[in-house]
Amino acid sequence: MQKKPTYEELEQRVKESEKEAIRRKKAEEALRKNEKRLKALLAELAAKNEELDSIVYRVSHDLKSPIVTIDGFVGALREDFGDVLSEDGEKYLRYISDAARKIELLIKDLLDLSRIDRLTQKKREFPFARLVKDALEALQLQIKARGIVVNIQEDLPVIYGEKRRLARVLDNLLINAIKYIGKENPSPRIDVGVEEQDGQKVFFVRDNGIGIEKKDFDKIFQVFQRLSSAKKQVGEGTGIGLTIVKRIIEHHHGGKIWLVSEPGKGSTFYFTLKKRGLEHGL
Ligand SMILES: Nc1ncnc2c1ncn2[C@@H]1O[C@H](COP(=O)(O)OP(=O)(O)OP(=O)(O)O)[C@@H](O)[C@H]1O
Ligand SMILES: [Mg+2]
């Protein structure tokens, strides 16, 4: 049988539970305060992000007109003084034009990056195969010119998402696969398909091109990051393509993107998409 608590013991227990109640109240208050502070910080961050975004947009937009001026005057110089220009003079004009092209490309890409979050489209269901075919059609000339064999898996599923943005994902991945297929690749090949991994549909774009070292896997998704191996390939780039792809997959579709690659063997870029009905909170 249990011993009945004495009066002192009961009093002690009451005191302890009062102390516990005060402790709990204080902890709750501290939590509430932290929550408030966090919310304020998040709001500040969102505002700063928006501001930065609109600066990028404005600056890139405003830089377009000086480029037009540069091009115009390079053209005028050639036209009016072309006969008297020495070989060196003509070479310098070419350097100016090339630099202007580079700035133009950079502006286009920066505008693209800042636009990615602007034009939201309603999500809907559509066949993944359609997306692949449309993207490949637009890239046909480049694929032919490099003699690349493209293999599209049959029976591709219907997917759920924003068609325009997902077209962009595929476009960027395919352009990379083509661009980095390797100048001396004896049998250039690209595969597009889907496979099941841990009960989830995983889409992929695979190439047998120059490949990427493991240490660079994270780096290539960061803005303006191009590997030295890429700079030796034909075709230019700003290092924005994969930043856009990652943003679309993760931020706009709640999916994941990663790669498996080995230098000299090729790369496979994988991505997942959230199923319809599971995309809340995006
Ligand atoms: N399929 C690939 N094979 C090998 N390297 C790749 C592949 N895709 C991307 N890379 C590497 O990752 C870098 C970043 O790719 P990303 O698409 O972001 O930029 P980019 O292709 O250089 O320029 P752009 O802004 O025109 O897309 C590339 O410069 C290249 O070094
Ligand atoms: Mg690219």
Side-chain angles (χ1 to χ4, degrees), residues 53-54 56-57 60 107-121 123 162-172 223 240-253:
D53 194 45
S54 85
V56 169
Y57 185 76
S60 342
I107 294 169
K108 187 189 133 301
D109 285 347
L110 273 174
L111 274 171
D112 263 8
L113 187 65
S114 89
R115 245 184 229 135
I116 266 305
D117 290 338
R118 281 171 211 275
L119 312 161
T120 306
Q121 207 186 15
K123 286 199 175 77
E162 287 177 63
K163 198 168 177 194
R164 230 180 358 223
R165 283 195 171 123
L166 291 177
R168 192 62 196 276
V169 165
L170 221 64
D171 207 43
N172 284 3
V223 76
I240 274 183
L242 285 176
T243 310
I244 291 176
V245 167
K246 188 176 164 80
R247 180 104 188 124
I248 294 175
I249 294 296
E250 292 185 351
H251 182 75
H252 296 282
H253 289 86

Side-chain angles (χ1 to χ4, degrees), residues 132 136 143 147-152 174 178 188-192:
V132 178
L136 284 172
I143 292 171
I148 301 173
V149 174
V150 181
N151 178 47
I152 312 170
L174 283 169
I178 297 168
R189 180 190 165 102
I190 295 174
D191 293 277
V192 185

Side-chain angles (χ1 to χ4, degrees), residues 7-281:
Y7 177 74
E8 283 80 16
E9 276 170 340
L10 279 175
E11 202 177 36
Q12 184 62 27
R13 274 192 216 166
V14 170
K15 265 192 200 149
E16 264 167 25
S17 70
E18 271 171 1
K19 261 195 217 154
E20 176 59 28
I22 291 170
R23 251 204 308 273
R24 210 174 277 175
K25 206 166 168 204
K26 273 193 185 151
E28 272 169 15
E29 256 167 36
L31 206 66
R32 253 199 304 277
K33 253 192 211 158
N34 269 344
E35 217 171 279
K36 246 189 182 168
R37 212 176 305 152
L38 201 66
K39 266 192 189 150
L41 273 176
L42 274 178
E44 199 182 319
L45 198 67
K48 285 219 169 104
N49 233 344
E50 215 165 279
E51 193 188 328
L52 192 68
D53 194 45
S54 85
I55 290 174
V56 169
Y57 185 76
R58 250 192 353 250
V59 171
S60 342
H61 205 264
D62 292 354
L63 275 174
K64 273 183 173 173
S65 90
I67 294 285
V68 174
T69 308
I70 292 172
D71 280 341
F73 280 104
V74 166
L77 269 175
R78 276 209 182 103
E79 214 160 275
D80 298 349
F81 301 97
D83 317 338
V84 289
L85 262 186
S86 67
E87 220 171 271
D88 273 351
E90 175 54 38
K91 195 165 75 188
Y92 297 159
L93 277 185
R94 223 172 29 246
Y95 288 162
I96 297 174
S97 283
D98 287 352
R101 288 290 70 70
K102 281 207 177 111
I103 300 176
E104 200 176 33
L105 187 69
L106 187 67
I107 294 169
K108 187 189 133 301
D109 285 347
L110 273 174
L111 274 171
D112 263 8
L113 187 65
S114 89
R115 245 184 229 135
I116 266 305
D117 290 338
R118 281 171 211 275
L119 312 161
T120 306
Q121 207 186 15
K122 215 171 142 34
K123 286 199 175 77
R124 58 187 186 82
E125 283 186 327
F126 57 90
F128 183 62
R130 185 75 262 149
L131 214 60
V132 178
K133 282 189 188 122
D134 286 350
L136 284 172
E137 226 167 80
L139 297 169
Q140 227 179 35
L141 282 181
Q142 299 166 55
I143 292 171
K144 249 202 193 135
R146 296 191 147 215
I148 301 173
V149 174
V150 181
N151 178 47
I152 312 170
Q153 192 181 309
E154 278 176 29
D155 296 330
L156 289 173
V158 163
I159 55 171
Y160 177 70
E162 287 177 63
K163 198 168 177 194
R164 230 180 358 223
R165 283 195 171 123
L166 291 177
R168 192 62 196 276
V169 165
L170 221 64
D171 207 43
N172 284 3
L173 290 179
L174 283 169
I175 290 177
N176 281 351
I178 297 168
K179 219 162 38 166
Y180 308 120
I181 202 77
K183 282 184 201 159
E184 257 126 61
N185 190 334
S187 51
R189 180 190 165 102
I190 295 174
D191 293 277
V192 185
V194 64
E195 59 188 44
E196 197 97 353
Q197 282 184 23
D198 300 323
Q200 200 180 15
K201 279 195 176 73
V202 178
F203 301 88
F204 65 83
V205 174
R206 175 172 298 139
D207 65 66
N208 64 356
I210 61 172
I212 299 162
E213 281 184 68
K214 209 170 191 154
K215 67 168 176 56
D216 294 321
F217 282 9
D218 287 336
K219 187 174 167 186
I220 56 169
F221 289 102
Q222 289 162 19
V223 76
F224 300 140
Q225 295 295 335
R226 304 196 74 216
L227 306 177
S228 50
S229 53
K231 290 174 194 156
K232 289 182 214 127
Q233 301 301 308
V234 272
E236 300 204 323
T238 318
I240 274 183
L242 285 176
T243 310
I244 291 176
V245 167
K246 188 176 164 80
R247 180 104 188 124
I248 294 175
I249 294 296
E250 292 185 351
H251 182 75
H252 296 282
H253 289 86
K256 283 206 170 73
I257 176 145
W258 69 95
L259 69 144
V260 171
S261 181
E262 224 181 288
K265 295 219 166 129
S267 315
T268 308
F269 283 82
Y270 292 100
F271 63 91
T272 59
L273 294 168
K274 274 227 166 110
K275 276 195 193 140
R276 180 172 206 164
L278 292 177
E279 75 283 7
H280 296 301

